[in-house]
Amino acid sequence: MKIVLLGPPGAGKGTQAKSISNRYSIPHISTGDIFRKNISENTPLGIEAKGYMDNGQLVPDEVTINMVKDRLQDEDCTSGYLLDGFPRTVAQANALNEFLISREEQLDTSLLIEVPIGFILERMTGRRVCPSCGASYHIKFNPPNNDGKCDLCGSEVIQRKDDTVETVKERLDVYENQTQPLIEFYKSKNLLSVVDGTKAINEVFKGICKVLGSND
Ligand code: ADP
Ligand code: AMP
């Protein structure tokens, strides 16, 4: 199964991606996670991406597209994958489309987690993430069980540098201008599914399973 997750920053893509990836046994490919890993390892890619990310801007298309194409050719992607945070521009969506065509493959669906912008600020400023395994929490809606420690690996959870009020506002602008058009892009190809992302985390997952054709 090949799936693209769509939705504004803070919609719950990363949260749901972990469950989808487990349920359907497909790798969760988050471009944000790949960039953050490169930043923490101080690689040339990380050094290039950091300035854009800290300011809430997108990393340039060429860099991002090449990185994703490389990743999609890894062995674990042969039976499918779940893309989280890619594509984010029409150029990226076209590049993915061409990549799939060149391999005589098809996307199964793009899944929009629909959340009105009014929900986003609280979701993102309350987000806490595990720097070791990437798990995502929320101080109010999904706190870790054990006093700021990741439930999965025990590391101290942290606030992302780009989850401040100022940067979130910038990221929302970027979303509206550059990423939102992808909803129409996939709709016109008959490849858009929509789930209500305003419900509780487990309810959203139920909605996703329904769309993807399996009960949770
Ligand atoms: P994205 O990957 O789309 O940017 P995340 O999955 O990191 O979003 O979720 C953003 C924040 O909102 C996190 O703190 C997460 O715990 C929280 N969250 C995710 N889904 C829900 C939900 N359905 N209800 C309330 N909070 C949620
Ligand atoms: P995310 O973890 O998906 O919220 O992404 C965090 C940041 O990484 C974004 O604000 C961008 O700066 C960068 N990023 C992630 N995915 C992409 C992408 N597909 N294209 C460009 N920049 C990206």
Side-chain angles (χ1 to χ4, degrees), residues 31-32 36 53 57-59 64 85-86 88 92 160 171:
T31 39
R36 280 184 287 277
M53 290 175 74
Q57 296 293 322
L58 296 183
V59 178
T64 308
F86 183 95
R88 254 178 160 102
Q92 291 179 14
R160 271 170 52 173
R171 291 166 70 197

Side-chain angles (χ1 to χ4, degrees), residues 35-190:
F35 286 133
R36 280 184 287 277
K37 184 163 187 286
N38 276 275
I39 290 173
S40 72
E41 291 169 356
N42 221 19
T43 67
L45 176 63
I47 291 163
E48 179 169 8
K50 188 175 180 339
Y52 297 102
M53 290 175 74
D54 285 350
N55 291 316
Q57 296 293 322
L58 296 183
V59 178
D61 279 337
E62 200 190 334
V63 176
T64 308
I65 289 167
N66 287 332
M67 177 182 88
V68 172
K69 278 189 187 167
D70 277 354
R71 177 66 184 91
L72 295 185
Q73 291 174 70
D74 287 347
E75 185 77 35
D76 64 336
C77 291
T78 43
S79 62
Y81 41 79
L82 174 64
L83 284 167
D84 162 13
F86 183 95
R88 254 178 160 102
T89 63
V90 172
Q92 291 179 14
N94 278 322
L96 175 63
N97 207 23
E98 280 156 27
F99 175 82
L100 288 164
I101 290 171
S102 74
R103 295 162 59 97
E104 298 183 352
E105 294 173 351
Q106 280 180 359
L107 206 62
D108 290 83
T109 193
S110 74
L111 192 63
L112 169 64
I113 304 183
E114 201 168 41
V115 177
I117 297 302
F119 281 68
I120 298 300
L121 197 60
E122 185 180 20
R123 286 225 185 151
M124 290 177 81
T125 52
R127 171 160 60 188
R128 298 293 180 270
V129 294
C130 173
S132 306
C133 74
S136 179
Y137 299 92
H138 193 282
I139 49 173
K140 181 167 154 195
F141 302 125
N142 182 29
N145 294 322
N146 184 8
D147 195 29
K149 303 262 189 327
C150 177
D151 294 347
L152 303 179
C153 72
S155 301
E156 196 87 34
V157 300
I158 56 162
Q159 181 167 31
R160 271 170 52 173
K161 217 174 165 178
D162 57 351
D163 277 346
T164 57
V165 176
E166 264 318 292
T167 316
V168 168
K169 287 186 177 156
E170 178 62 30
R171 291 166 70 197
L172 283 173
D173 275 354
V174 167
Y175 174 77
E176 282 181 354
N177 291 322
Q178 302 200 54
T179 310
Q180 205 155 252
L182 299 187
I183 297 174
E184 210 39 60
F185 179 97
Y186 284 114
K187 196 172 178 184
S188 71
K189 294 184 184 302
N190 231 348

